[in-house]
Amino acid sequence: MLLHRRLKTDAKERAVGAHQGDIRRNLGFSRDTLRLYEKRGIITPAIDPENGYRTYDDWQVNLLWEAKMYQGIGFSLDEIATIEQKDSLKDLEEDLAGRIEAKEHDIRMEELRLATARHEMQEVRAIAQWREGKHPAFWIEENPSRRFIAERRDHELLEGASPEALAYVMRCWGCLAATFWFPDLSDGSYFWGFAQESEIFEELGGPQAGRFLFTLPQGRCLASFVDAGDRGGFGLELFCGLVEEARRRGLAVEGSIGGELICRTHEEDGYHRFIHVWLPLEEET
């Protein structure tokens, strides 16, 4: 399919064709769409100098349908104007390949955001069931490896955090989870920041090194939901029940408590912050 413009026909030949009313009535293009395509350089109808009437020959009609096709697969009007002026198949193929790669990246990001939204919905539903006594208070789960970008230690913003990591947070916002982690239970201090499964982190080009960039190990965990209420922080005492449950079950702990803030609500009885918390366990032999 040839896409470059054929502008060498003289004005008289170009004047033979459909008028704007014909295009609107028979093809469904509105006047505003036609004028926008013309303004963006996608079509160049013949214009009668006496009355300003526009005439569209077969070539212009073809360009209209091609523009709609490219719009339908997600290209902007500026991109379409560039595509339709390509002078060789090689140029067109290279241009399309680059744009398709960019679109595929955008689609993948939307897939990840959708997966994040679906996960959030499932967690909120589980918390609602938990509050109604229809969900276990504690359960064993397999956690994936997570890459964790710390933003605060306790309540204090971290100084000297990796600029690359923070830039990644802003770029991939919507595919990360608000997460906290106690690296050393002995001092009761925790980091607060954002986490993402390591596999996705690497797929999206997250930084592989940097200050306050950690890997939270994968493995078997004892998990629970916690309502932190209106407390200012996430002190270890909030998770005593989880630790006691591990002891009661005779489970060997291997690692530090971590968790994700799922949602906040303002209800008649006060302010709630619901957390999915986990405690890593030794692997069964």
Side-chain angles (χ1 to χ4, degrees):
M1 181 190 301
L2 294 176
L3 298 178
H4 66 283
R5 301 184 182 283
R6 294 179 177 175
L7 302 178
K8 295 182 179 180
T9 54
D10 60 64
K12 182 177 180 180
E13 290 175 331
R14 292 174 62 205
V16 177
H19 293 290
Q20 192 173 97
D22 300 324
I23 299 294
R24 293 162 56 188
R25 181 170 53 256
N26 298 327
L27 301 184
F29 289 89
S30 69
R31 180 180 181 278
D32 289 343
T33 297
L34 293 172
R35 289 298 177 89
L36 182 59
Y37 282 9
E38 183 180 339
K39 182 179 180 181
R40 297 297 181 89
I42 294 171
I43 57 174
T44 53
I47 303 177
D48 190 316
E50 295 182 3
N51 53 31
Y53 288 169
R54 285 159 168 77
T55 306
Y56 304 81
D57 62 16
D58 287 347
W59 184 251
Q60 299 302 314
V61 173
N62 288 339
L63 291 175
L64 282 173
W65 285 124
E66 286 173 1
K68 290 299 289 184
M69 181 272 288
Y70 282 122
Q71 269 193 292
I73 58 177
F75 289 100
S76 70
L77 295 182
D78 288 339
E79 289 172 331
I80 293 167
T82 300
I83 289 171
E84 291 197 338
Q85 295 182 62
K86 289 297 176 183
D87 291 324
S88 74
L89 288 175
K90 186 179 185 323
D91 288 345
L92 177 60
E93 188 270 336
E94 290 178 352
D95 191 68
L96 282 173
R99 292 167 194 271
I100 287 171
E101 183 179 352
K103 296 297 178 184
E104 287 174 341
H105 174 76
D106 292 343
I107 290 170
R108 178 57 177 154
M109 291 298 296
E110 287 304 311
E111 289 175 344
L112 292 172
R113 292 187 184 103
L114 178 60
T116 301
R118 187 177 290 114
H119 171 75
E120 175 79 2
M121 178 192 69
Q122 292 169 343
E123 290 279 67
V124 170
R125 180 179 296 160
I127 288 170
Q129 294 172 342
W130 169 72
R131 293 185 79 187
E132 296 172 358
K134 299 176 182 178
H135 189 284
F138 302 94
W139 64 93
I140 301 292
E141 66 183 25
E142 288 289 333
N143 270 358
S145 171
R146 291 177 171 91
R147 296 288 278 168
F148 175 58
I149 299 172
E151 177 211 48
R152 279 168 278 173
R153 183 160 188 145
D154 299 328
H155 299 286
E156 299 297 323
L157 289 173
L158 295 170
E159 294 186 5
S162 167
E164 294 81 10
L166 295 177
Y168 179 79
V169 169
M170 300 307 295
R171 186 171 71 250
C172 296
W173 191 256
C175 303
L176 294 149
T179 304
F180 65 90
W181 172 52
F182 289 83
D184 184 355
L185 294 177
S186 63
D187 67 4
S189 183
Y190 64 91
F191 285 106
W192 172 265
F194 309 93
Q196 186 175 65
E197 289 187 24
S198 296
E199 185 176 340
I200 296 174
F201 190 87
E202 293 174 5
E203 175 190 340
L204 298 181
Q208 298 305 302
R211 197 174 181 202
F212 305 124
L213 175 63
F214 307 101
T215 298
L216 306 185
Q218 65 182 16
R220 199 168 62 108
C221 296
L222 179 67
S224 181
F225 290 129
V226 174
D227 182 357
D230 59 358
R231 303 185 191 200
F234 296 94
L236 279 174
E237 70 278 1
L238 192 62
F239 313 112
C240 288
L242 184 69
V243 176
E244 289 301 318
E245 179 66 13
R247 291 174 179 166
R248 188 185 70 78
R249 296 190 184 195
L251 299 171
V253 176
E254 186 179 78
S256 302
I257 290 173
E260 294 180 357
L261 176 65
I262 304 301
C263 61
R264 309 169 191 263
T265 63
H266 297 265
E267 304 177 29
E268 291 182 357
D269 61 345
Y271 177 56
H272 299 268
R273 288 181 296 171
F274 297 105
I275 305 164
H276 181 159
V277 60
W278 62 81
L279 180 63
L281 305 172
E282 286 185 3
E283 289 298 324
E284 294 179 318
T285 57

